[in-house]
């Protein structure tokens, strides 16, 4: 998930009552909720290096445990040196700081697991990717629910002060926001299962599916992008969980290219190897150019509408002797017909 969602969730956890457990509780939750994304430093090594290390060890069970313990201990150490609070509040408690750090890190890892990008929870022992596929990385509906739950109590408090009524507390709004998030997960999970069932019930080009995927939109929890792989092609088609079925006749068909020396050479590059370890539906395309060959590999989990730039794409240029002229990975590649 994006960092705004992680931060709003941490704030909701705090206002739901965890801020009463120890001093610096909110700070611990906010820092911990974004701490696994410290792997952003890998961007200094370029797109392929970032892809290799993003959602790696810092998003694993072992890595998150180490980060959580270090964060709790650091805030406790610094908190002991901080001046006394002006208002009465809970005392500094190492046990609760450690617990809140674990909660914050666990919330980050769990939320990243819900989307199609996925996580590798068992690093460094296993590099296997796991994903729930029910949430987009940026979910506008979830933003709205979290902001609504966090913003309504202060608004009601202002209204109460105007009319002289008893002040409202933020705890109810925060609990609503967290429950709404869980409810949205449930709705999206049911919709995802329904769409996968639709996709699996058809034959595609007289071939049975060998792999299926359904990936959500950022707004409508019932709107999905289906990806079906057969032995010879990929089929991309829209699906709605509220409809009775999907129509393979309206699918975009991307045929798998025949094996070729150019494709083999491109697939052996460092960038392509990193990408192929990550991609779930890699579709390669080989174009012959005046200077040699242009090979692109796209992960169809992120297939955009026609005419828009491809996302999650490796591009390799080869000369006529199959020597690599350039190789690159980008999260948003160039638009190609």
């Amino acid at each position: 998930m994006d960092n705004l969602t992680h931060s709003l969730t941490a704030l909701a956890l705090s206002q739901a009552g965890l801020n009463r457990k120890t001093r610096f509780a909110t700070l611990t939750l906010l820092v911990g909720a974004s701490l696994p994304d410290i792997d952003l430093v890998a961007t200094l090594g370029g797109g392929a290096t970032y892809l290799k290390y993003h959602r790696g060890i810092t998003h694993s069970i072992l890595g998150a445990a180490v980060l959580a313990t270090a964060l709790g201990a650091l805030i406790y150490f610094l908190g002991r040196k901080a001046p006394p609070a002006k208002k009465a509040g809970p005392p500094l408690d190492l046990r609760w700081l450690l617990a809140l750090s674990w909660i914050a890190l666990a919330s980050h890892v769990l939320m990243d697991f819900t989307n199609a990008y996925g996580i590798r929870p068992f690093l460094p022992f296993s590099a296997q990717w796991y994903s729930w596929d029910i949430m987009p990385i940026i979910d506008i509906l979830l933003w709205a629910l979290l902001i609504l739950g966090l913003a309504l109590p202060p608004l009601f408090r202002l209204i109460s002060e105007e009319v002289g009524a008893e002040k409202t507390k933020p705890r109810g709004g925060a609990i609503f926001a967290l429950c709404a998030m869980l409810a949205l997960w449930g709705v999206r999970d049911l919709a995802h299962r329904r769409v996968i069932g639709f996709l699996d019930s058809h034959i595609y080009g007289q071939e049975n599916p060998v792999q299926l995927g359904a990936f959500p939109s950022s707004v409508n929890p019932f709107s999905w992008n289906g990806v079906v792989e057969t032995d010879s092609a990929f089929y991309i088609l829209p699906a709605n969980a509220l409809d009775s079925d999907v129509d393979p006749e309206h699918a975009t068909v991307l045929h798998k290219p025949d094996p070729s020396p150019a494709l083999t050479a491109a697939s052996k590059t460092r960038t392509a190897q990193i990408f192929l370890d990550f991609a779930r539906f890699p579709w390669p395309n080989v174009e012959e150019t005046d200077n040699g060959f242009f090979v692109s590999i796209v992960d169809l989990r992120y297939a955009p509408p026609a005419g828009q730039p491809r996302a999650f794409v490796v591009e390799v240029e080869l000369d006529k002797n199959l020597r690599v002229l350039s190789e690159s990975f980008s999260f948003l590649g160039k638009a190609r017909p």
Side-chain angles (χ1 to χ4, degrees), residues 9-322:
T9 302
L11 190 58
L13 287 168
S14 174
Q15 292 190 2
L18 293 179
N19 56 356
R20 304 175 183 178
K21 302 302 181 181
T22 178
R23 193 180 179 193
F24 302 118
T26 301
L27 174 64
T28 303
L29 288 166
L30 286 171
V31 174
S34 294
L35 190 56
D37 283 341
I38 194 174
D39 59 16
L40 284 170
V41 298
T43 56
L44 298 174
T49 300
Y50 176 63
L51 182 66
K52 180 178 181 179
Y53 293 107
H54 183 47
R55 296 203 183 178
I57 191 66
T58 61
H59 289 68
S60 69
I61 296 172
L62 178 61
V66 171
L67 288 175
T69 303
L71 175 63
L74 178 63
I75 291 182
Y76 179 75
F77 174 77
L78 297 176
R80 293 180 62 185
K81 299 179 178 297
K86 295 181 180 180
K87 296 182 180 180
L92 193 64
D93 189 319
L94 176 59
R95 292 172 299 177
W96 268 110
L97 285 175
L98 291 172
L100 294 177
S101 298
W102 276 71
I103 290 171
L105 270 293
S107 75
H108 185 113
V109 173
L110 175 60
M111 294 178 75
D112 281 357
F113 166 70
T114 63
N115 56 59
Y117 197 112
I119 58 173
R120 290 169 281 181
F122 302 114
L123 282 175
F125 310 106
S126 170
Q128 177 69 40
W129 286 91
Y130 295 87
S131 63
W132 195 355
D133 293 349
I134 64 168
M135 298 289 286
I137 292 178
I138 297 177
D139 191 320
I140 297 175
L141 180 57
L142 181 55
W143 280 0
L145 292 171
L146 289 170
I147 292 172
L148 181 66
L150 294 171
L152 281 181
L155 178 61
F156 289 151
R157 187 159 58 248
L158 287 175
I159 296 174
S160 298
E161 291 175 354
E162 288 284 341
V163 300
E166 184 179 350
K167 293 183 179 180
T168 60
K169 297 181 179 180
R171 185 176 182 182
I175 293 175
F176 162 81
L178 295 172
C179 290
M181 179 173 66
L182 295 177
L184 180 59
W185 287 2
V187 170
R188 284 194 177 273
D189 178 66
L190 290 174
H192 180 258
R193 293 173 185 271
R194 184 171 171 83
V195 169
I196 289 292
F198 292 162
L199 296 172
D200 196 30
S201 64
H202 290 278
I203 300 295
Y204 298 84
Q206 300 183 348
E207 294 181 316
N208 290 317
V210 297
Q211 187 176 194
L212 299 166
F215 307 103
S217 72
S218 294
V219 179
N220 185 350
F222 302 106
S223 179
W224 298 77
N225 191 45
V227 180
V228 179
E229 180 182 2
T230 67
D231 289 330
S232 64
F234 292 97
Y235 295 77
I236 302 173
L237 64 165
N240 192 303
L242 298 179
D243 292 340
S244 58
D245 205 347
V246 297
D247 185 2
E249 296 299 323
H250 289 87
T252 299
V253 183
L254 300 173
H255 293 283
K256 295 179 180 179
D258 293 328
S260 68
L263 180 56
T264 299
S267 298
K268 290 181 178 179
T269 62
R270 173 182 179 270
T271 301
Q273 287 292 304
I274 292 172
F275 181 76
L276 292 172
D277 285 340
F278 163 78
R280 199 186 312 174
F281 296 95
W283 177 66
N285 186 47
V286 181
E287 302 174 25
E288 190 167 359
T289 66
D290 293 338
N291 298 322
F293 301 92
F294 178 87
V295 180
S296 63
I297 311 175
V298 180
D299 189 345
L300 297 179
R301 282 180 291 178
Y302 307 98
Q308 293 189 11
R310 296 173 177 176
F312 287 77
V313 55
V314 166
E315 297 175 340
V316 181
E317 291 185 82
L318 306 166
D319 66 14
K320 293 185 181 295
N321 296 317
L322 303 181

